Amino acid sequence: EYVCAAACAPVRVAGSASSNPAEFTIVGNELWFSASSNGVGNELFTTDGTAANTSLVANLAPGSSSLRAVALQVFGSQLLFRGSVGNAGLSEPCITDGTIANTLLLNDIASPVGDSSPGLFANLGNDVFFRARTNSAGREPYVTGGTPGTTMMIADVVPGATGSNSDWSTSRGADVFFDGAAPVVGKQLFVTDGTAAGTQQLTAVSQLTPRELTTYGNLVVFSGDTNATGREPWRSDGTPAGTFELLDIRSGGANSIANGQFTVAGGLCYFTADDGAHGLELWVTDGTAAGTQMIVDLRPGASGSSPAQLTAIGNVLYFTASEPNRRHCCWHDSGRGPSSRHSQQQPAASDRGRQQSVFHRLDGPEQASVRLRWNGTWDGRGDQYRFVGCFGLQRPDLHAGGLVLLAR
């Protein structure tokens, strides 16, 4: 229930109970998040990482009722979200500029009763794509221009109450790629420009079930599953001909990807995969079969290093990984790690034999790693590395501004 600044001093939102902060989102030069506080319920707050400058944006759902804002999406100088405004239910598309007067319900999609539960917000040129549900059409793609009059269904991809049931979306310029159910063949890849005529099914592979859609330049990278090759990395340029499997990393029908964690940094797309020989390790692709390869075998042998928390900060990829006698943990460093690649640092004698953590940094296809001592000090430099617990990193790109955010 804390916001953690560079010195990792906790900031508690007023009240004796847990505030349950979540949905950390950059809005202009501020960090907004949702949290609960006595007297106002669940509302939006803003912070710079200090107690003095952590405050309620406004009581946007006046009284003790709650805004319940989730799935926050920046839209120009405003914020789109799923929440409760007026008498339209608890989960409808809304927009705010941080004032009560300009906090609006965009569309009571599931009127007169029920909630449309909008989600998967993604920029679509000057508009925003999202998925929403009605009893008559199921979950289908919608678009909004930020006003009630421009908030509508894009296309009834699967006519009837079942819906296309998207689980993933990603923006690429003026288009949004999303997954959706198609008759007979199941979940497939689609692309839309925000119009029914411009919504196209790109694949027709039985039960492909695209996941982890990630924009990589002019391409979208994702994982797809086929009977012949299992779940492997795929790519799409927005056309059926340009949508195909990149490489059968684990030959045959076995899966090489469970959770690929596709992450773009320094002009490359990194992900995790298991080729059946090296275990789960870090891989990279440039969007071609020839440029798809394992980047480093951090833990030789079939067990693998299980890279996790892949995070791009500028052109650098950071991630955690397991090595013998070490475990995964998240760390916040001083930002002055070693400048040379292949830097190796052994733990102090007093720390040998204890569980250690390793936080890896990649500037490109070569490995550079920083081993961190348990007490938070990197040997040989005197730089302080602050242990922040085994949690997921929340928007670590804020690290450049000296702010690390955690919620537990």
Side-chain angles (χ1 to χ4, degrees):
E1 60 182 327
Y2 300 109
V3 176
C4 187
C8 282
V11 176
R12 185 184 296 275
V13 178
S16 59
S18 173
S19 62
N20 294 315
E23 305 290 332
F24 296 106
T25 304
I26 299 297
V27 181
N29 294 321
E30 299 177 331
L31 179 78
W32 288 26
F33 62 99
S34 65
S36 296
S37 184
N38 292 338
V40 299
N42 186 272
E43 290 283 349
L44 291 172
F45 288 76
T46 181
T47 187
D48 66 358
T50 66
N53 292 316
T54 299
S55 61
L56 182 70
V57 171
N59 192 2
L60 300 177
S64 59
S65 59
S66 293
L67 190 67
R68 296 184 178 90
V70 296
L72 308 187
Q73 171 72 28
V74 175
F75 183 63
S77 61
Q78 297 176 291
L79 189 70
L80 290 167
F81 62 94
R82 179 175 79 224
S84 176
V85 173
N87 298 314
L90 301 179
S91 184
E92 293 292 349
C94 306
I95 192 168
T96 186
D97 65 358
T99 67
I100 296 175
N102 291 320
T103 299
L104 307 173
L105 171 71
L106 288 174
N107 192 338
D108 189 3
I109 292 173
S111 176
V113 296
D115 298 311
S116 67
S117 300
L120 302 183
F121 290 104
N123 291 326
L124 180 62
N126 294 323
D127 299 322
V128 170
F129 166 100
F130 65 97
R131 174 208 66 200
R133 178 187 63 82
T134 65
N135 289 335
S136 60
R139 294 198 301 179
E140 292 290 1
Y142 282 70
V143 65
T144 182
T147 65
T150 59
T151 303
M152 63 193 74
M153 183 187 293
I154 295 173
D156 192 0
V157 175
V158 179
T162 301
S164 56
N165 287 311
S166 299
D167 292 310
W168 302 91
S169 69
T170 190
S171 302
R172 190 203 62 173
D175 297 324
V176 166
F177 290 69
F178 64 98
D179 70 310
V184 182
V185 292
K187 283 287 186 77
Q188 302 297 318
L189 186 68
F190 289 77
V191 66
T192 185
D193 64 1
T195 67
T199 301
Q200 180 183 16
Q201 182 179 330
L202 297 176
T203 59
V205 179
S206 180
Q207 304 302 323
L208 181 65
T209 317
R211 296 177 182 168
E212 300 182 273
L213 277 59
T214 303
T215 303
Y216 171 48
N218 291 324
L219 302 177
V220 167
V221 178
F222 61 98
S223 71
D225 194 354
T226 70
N227 290 332
T229 62
R231 183 160 294 278
E232 299 289 351
W234 282 60
R235 53 145 279 179
S236 177
D237 65 359
T239 68
T243 304
F244 50 83
E245 183 178 285
L246 275 170
L247 187 67
D248 185 8
I249 291 175
R250 188 164 187 166
S251 183
N255 299 334
S256 74
I257 292 178
N259 175 18
Q261 306 177 77
F262 296 103
T263 305
V264 176
L268 296 170
C269 184
Y270 297 89
F271 62 100
T272 60
D274 183 349
D275 62 5
H278 299 91
L280 191 65
E281 292 290 358
L282 190 66
W283 284 64
V284 68
T285 185
D286 63 0
T288 68
T292 303
Q293 58 190 319
M294 185 173 71
I295 192 169
V296 61
D297 188 7
L298 283 174
R299 186 171 188 168
S303 59
S305 65
S306 299
Q309 307 290 347
L310 275 62
T311 302
I313 303 179
N315 291 325
V316 179
L317 180 79
Y318 293 84
F319 62 99
T320 61
S322 295
E323 291 184 323
N325 300 317
R326 300 176 188 271
R327 69 175 185 176
H328 280 68
C329 280
C330 299
W331 295 76
H332 168 214
D333 77 318
S334 65
R336 301 190 303 276
S339 58
S340 60
R341 294 173 179 169
H342 303 289
S343 174
Q344 302 292 325
Q345 200 73 34
Q346 296 299 321
S350 60
D351 285 336
R352 288 172 188 160
R354 298 170 61 183
Q355 274 195 320
Q356 298 288 313
S357 304
V358 59
F359 190 66
H360 295 274
R361 162 181 170 162
L362 287 178
D363 295 281
E366 296 183 64
Q367 173 201 0
S369 64
V370 182
R371 283 172 172 77
L372 303 177
R373 286 181 50 186
W374 186 256
N375 66 3
T377 303
W378 176 50
D379 290 345
R381 285 288 296 274
D383 293 343
Q384 292 298 310
Y385 291 77
R386 302 185 185 279
F387 177 66
V388 292
C390 299
F391 309 106
L393 292 173
Q394 300 289 330
R395 291 303 303 270
D397 50 309
L398 293 174
H399 162 80
L403 184 62
V404 171
L405 301 170
L406 299 168
R408 73 179 183 187

Short mmCIF file of all heavy atoms in Angstrom, two decimals, residues 130-157:
data_model
loop_
_atom_site.label_atom_id
_atom_site.label_comp_id
_atom_site.label_asym_id
_atom_site.label_seq_id
_atom_site.Cartn_x
_atom_site.Cartn_y
_atom_site.Cartn_z
N PHE A 130 -11.16 0.12 -27.66
CA PHE A 130 -11.36 -0.66 -26.45
C PHE A 130 -12.34 -1.78 -26.73
O PHE A 130 -13.00 -1.83 -27.78
CB PHE A 130 -11.82 0.21 -25.27
CG PHE A 130 -13.17 0.86 -25.42
CD1 PHE A 130 -14.31 0.27 -24.86
CD2 PHE A 130 -13.31 2.06 -26.09
CE1 PHE A 130 -15.55 0.88 -24.97
CE2 PHE A 130 -14.55 2.68 -26.21
CZ PHE A 130 -15.68 2.09 -25.66
N ARG A 131 -12.42 -2.71 -25.79
CA ARG A 131 -13.34 -3.83 -25.89
C ARG A 131 -14.42 -3.65 -24.83
O ARG A 131 -14.13 -3.24 -23.70
CB ARG A 131 -12.58 -5.14 -25.64
CG ARG A 131 -13.43 -6.39 -25.57
CD ARG A 131 -12.75 -7.40 -24.68
NE ARG A 131 -12.70 -6.94 -23.29
CZ ARG A 131 -11.87 -7.40 -22.37
NH1 ARG A 131 -10.97 -8.30 -22.67
NH2 ARG A 131 -11.91 -6.93 -21.13
N ALA A 132 -15.67 -3.95 -25.20
CA ALA A 132 -16.76 -3.83 -24.24
C ALA A 132 -17.82 -4.89 -24.53
O ALA A 132 -17.85 -5.48 -25.62
CB ALA A 132 -17.38 -2.43 -24.29
N ARG A 133 -18.69 -5.10 -23.54
CA ARG A 133 -19.65 -6.20 -23.63
C ARG A 133 -21.08 -5.71 -23.51
O ARG A 133 -21.39 -4.81 -22.71
CB ARG A 133 -19.37 -7.20 -22.51
CG ARG A 133 -20.32 -8.39 -22.45
CD ARG A 133 -20.08 -9.23 -21.22
NE ARG A 133 -20.33 -8.47 -20.00
CZ ARG A 133 -21.54 -8.29 -19.46
NH1 ARG A 133 -22.61 -8.80 -20.05
NH2 ARG A 133 -21.69 -7.60 -18.35
N THR A 134 -21.96 -6.30 -24.31
CA THR A 134 -23.40 -6.14 -24.13
C THR A 134 -24.03 -7.53 -24.13
O THR A 134 -23.44 -8.50 -24.63
CB THR A 134 -24.03 -5.30 -25.25
OG1 THR A 134 -23.89 -6.01 -26.50
CG2 THR A 134 -23.37 -3.94 -25.37
N ASN A 135 -25.23 -7.62 -23.58
CA ASN A 135 -25.91 -8.91 -23.56
C ASN A 135 -26.24 -9.41 -24.96
O ASN A 135 -26.23 -10.61 -25.23
CB ASN A 135 -27.19 -8.82 -22.72
CG ASN A 135 -26.90 -8.68 -21.24
OD1 ASN A 135 -25.84 -9.09 -20.77
ND2 ASN A 135 -27.84 -8.09 -20.50
N SER A 136 -26.51 -8.49 -25.86
CA SER A 136 -26.95 -8.89 -27.21
C SER A 136 -25.79 -9.21 -28.14
O SER A 136 -25.92 -10.07 -29.03
CB SER A 136 -27.80 -7.79 -27.83
OG SER A 136 -27.06 -6.58 -27.92
N ALA A 137 -24.63 -8.54 -27.96
CA ALA A 137 -23.52 -8.72 -28.90
C ALA A 137 -22.28 -9.37 -28.29
O ALA A 137 -21.32 -9.66 -29.01
CB ALA A 137 -23.13 -7.37 -29.51
N GLY A 138 -22.30 -9.61 -26.98
CA GLY A 138 -21.10 -10.15 -26.34
C GLY A 138 -20.01 -9.10 -26.28
O GLY A 138 -20.26 -7.90 -26.38
N ARG A 139 -18.76 -9.53 -26.15
CA ARG A 139 -17.62 -8.60 -26.09
C ARG A 139 -17.12 -8.33 -27.50
O ARG A 139 -16.68 -9.25 -28.20
CB ARG A 139 -16.50 -9.16 -25.23
CG ARG A 139 -16.89 -9.30 -23.76
CD ARG A 139 -15.69 -9.42 -22.85
NE ARG A 139 -14.87 -10.57 -23.15
CZ ARG A 139 -13.75 -10.89 -22.51
NH1 ARG A 139 -13.31 -10.12 -21.53
NH2 ARG A 139 -13.06 -11.96 -22.83
N GLU A 140 -17.15 -7.06 -27.91
CA GLU A 140 -16.76 -6.66 -29.26
C GLU A 140 -15.90 -5.40 -29.21
O GLU A 140 -15.84 -4.72 -28.19
CB GLU A 140 -18.00 -6.43 -30.13
CG GLU A 140 -18.80 -7.68 -30.46
CD GLU A 140 -18.09 -8.63 -31.41
OE1 GLU A 140 -16.94 -8.35 -31.83
OE2 GLU A 140 -18.67 -9.69 -31.74
N PRO A 141 -15.20 -5.08 -30.32
CA PRO A 141 -14.35 -3.87 -30.34
C PRO A 141 -15.16 -2.58 -30.47
O PRO A 141 -16.12 -2.52 -31.24
CB PRO A 141 -13.46 -4.11 -31.56
CG PRO A 141 -14.26 -4.98 -32.46
CD PRO A 141 -15.05 -5.88 -31.55
N TYR A 142 -14.73 -1.57 -29.71
CA TYR A 142 -15.35 -0.24 -29.73
C TYR A 142 -14.28 0.81 -29.99
O TYR A 142 -13.07 0.54 -29.90
CB TYR A 142 -16.05 0.06 -28.40
CG TYR A 142 -17.39 -0.61 -28.22
CD1 TYR A 142 -17.49 -1.98 -28.04
CD2 TYR A 142 -18.56 0.14 -28.24
CE1 TYR A 142 -18.73 -2.60 -27.88
CE2 TYR A 142 -19.81 -0.45 -28.07
CZ TYR A 142 -19.88 -1.82 -27.89
OH TYR A 142 -21.10 -2.43 -27.73
N VAL A 143 -14.75 2.03 -30.28
CA VAL A 143 -13.84 3.16 -30.47
C VAL A 143 -14.46 4.38 -29.80
O VAL A 143 -15.68 4.50 -29.70
CB VAL A 143 -13.60 3.43 -31.98
CG1 VAL A 143 -14.88 3.87 -32.67
CG2 VAL A 143 -12.49 4.46 -32.18
N THR A 144 -13.60 5.27 -29.32
CA THR A 144 -14.07 6.55 -28.79
C THR A 144 -13.16 7.68 -29.24
O THR A 144 -11.94 7.50 -29.35
CB THR A 144 -14.16 6.54 -27.26
OG1 THR A 144 -14.68 7.80 -26.81
CG2 THR A 144 -12.80 6.29 -26.61
N GLY A 145 -13.76 8.81 -29.50
CA GLY A 145 -13.01 10.03 -29.78
C GLY A 145 -12.95 10.93 -28.58
O GLY A 145 -12.53 12.09 -28.69
N GLY A 146 -13.38 10.41 -27.42
CA GLY A 146 -13.32 11.18 -26.18
C GLY A 146 -14.59 11.91 -25.85
O GLY A 146 -14.63 12.68 -24.88
N THR A 147 -15.67 11.68 -26.62
CA THR A 147 -16.97 12.29 -26.36
C THR A 147 -18.04 11.22 -26.45
O THR A 147 -17.85 10.20 -27.11
CB THR A 147 -17.30 13.41 -27.37
OG1 THR A 147 -17.44 12.82 -28.68
CG2 THR A 147 -16.20 14.47 -27.41
N PRO A 148 -19.20 11.45 -25.81
CA PRO A 148 -20.28 10.46 -25.92
C PRO A 148 -20.69 10.18 -27.36
O PRO A 148 -20.97 9.03 -27.72
CB PRO A 148 -21.41 11.10 -25.11
CG PRO A 148 -20.71 11.94 -24.09
CD PRO A 148 -19.51 12.49 -24.81
N GLY A 149 -20.71 11.20 -28.20
CA GLY A 149 -21.15 11.03 -29.58
C GLY A 149 -20.19 10.24 -30.45
O GLY A 149 -20.57 9.78 -31.53
N THR A 150 -18.94 10.10 -30.02
CA THR A 150 -17.95 9.38 -30.82
C THR A 150 -17.57 8.03 -30.19
O THR A 150 -16.56 7.45 -30.56
CB THR A 150 -16.68 10.22 -31.00
OG1 THR A 150 -16.13 10.53 -29.70
CG2 THR A 150 -16.97 11.51 -31.75
N THR A 151 -18.38 7.56 -29.27
CA THR A 151 -18.11 6.29 -28.60
C THR A 151 -19.11 5.25 -29.10
O THR A 151 -20.32 5.36 -28.83
CB THR A 151 -18.22 6.45 -27.07
OG1 THR A 151 -17.32 7.47 -26.65
CG2 THR A 151 -17.87 5.15 -26.36
N MET A 152 -18.61 4.25 -29.84
CA MET A 152 -19.51 3.30 -30.49
C MET A 152 -18.79 2.00 -30.83
O MET A 152 -17.55 1.93 -30.80
CB MET A 152 -20.05 3.93 -31.78
CG MET A 152 -18.97 4.22 -32.81
SD MET A 152 -19.52 5.29 -34.16
CE MET A 152 -19.61 6.87 -33.33
N MET A 153 -19.58 0.97 -31.16
CA MET A 153 -19.00 -0.29 -31.60
C MET A 153 -18.36 -0.12 -32.97
O MET A 153 -18.91 0.55 -33.85
CB MET A 153 -20.08 -1.38 -31.67
CG MET A 153 -19.53 -2.76 -32.04
SD MET A 153 -20.83 -4.01 -32.32
CE MET A 153 -21.51 -4.17 -30.68
N ILE A 154 -17.18 -0.72 -33.15
CA ILE A 154 -16.51 -0.69 -34.45
C ILE A 154 -17.15 -1.69 -35.39
O ILE A 154 -17.51 -1.36 -36.53
CB ILE A 154 -15.00 -1.01 -34.30
CG1 ILE A 154 -14.31 0.08 -33.49
CG2 ILE A 154 -14.35 -1.16 -35.67
CD1 ILE A 154 -12.86 -0.25 -33.16
N ALA A 155 -17.26 -2.92 -34.93
CA ALA A 155 -17.82 -3.98 -35.77
C ALA A 155 -18.30 -5.12 -34.89
O ALA A 155 -17.70 -5.39 -33.85
CB ALA A 155 -16.77 -4.50 -36.76
N ASP A 156 -19.36 -5.76 -35.31
CA ASP A 156 -19.84 -6.96 -34.64
C ASP A 156 -19.12 -8.13 -35.29
O ASP A 156 -19.62 -8.77 -36.21
CB ASP A 156 -21.36 -7.07 -34.79
CG ASP A 156 -21.96 -8.13 -33.88
OD1 ASP A 156 -21.19 -8.75 -33.13
OD2 ASP A 156 -23.18 -8.34 -33.94
N VAL A 157 -17.89 -8.38 -34.82
CA VAL A 157 -17.00 -9.34 -35.47
C VAL A 157 -17.63 -10.73 -35.52
O VAL A 157 -17.56 -11.44 -36.53
CB VAL A 157 -15.64 -9.39 -34.75
CG1 VAL A 157 -14.75 -10.47 -35.34
CG2 VAL A 157 -14.96 -8.02 -34.84
#
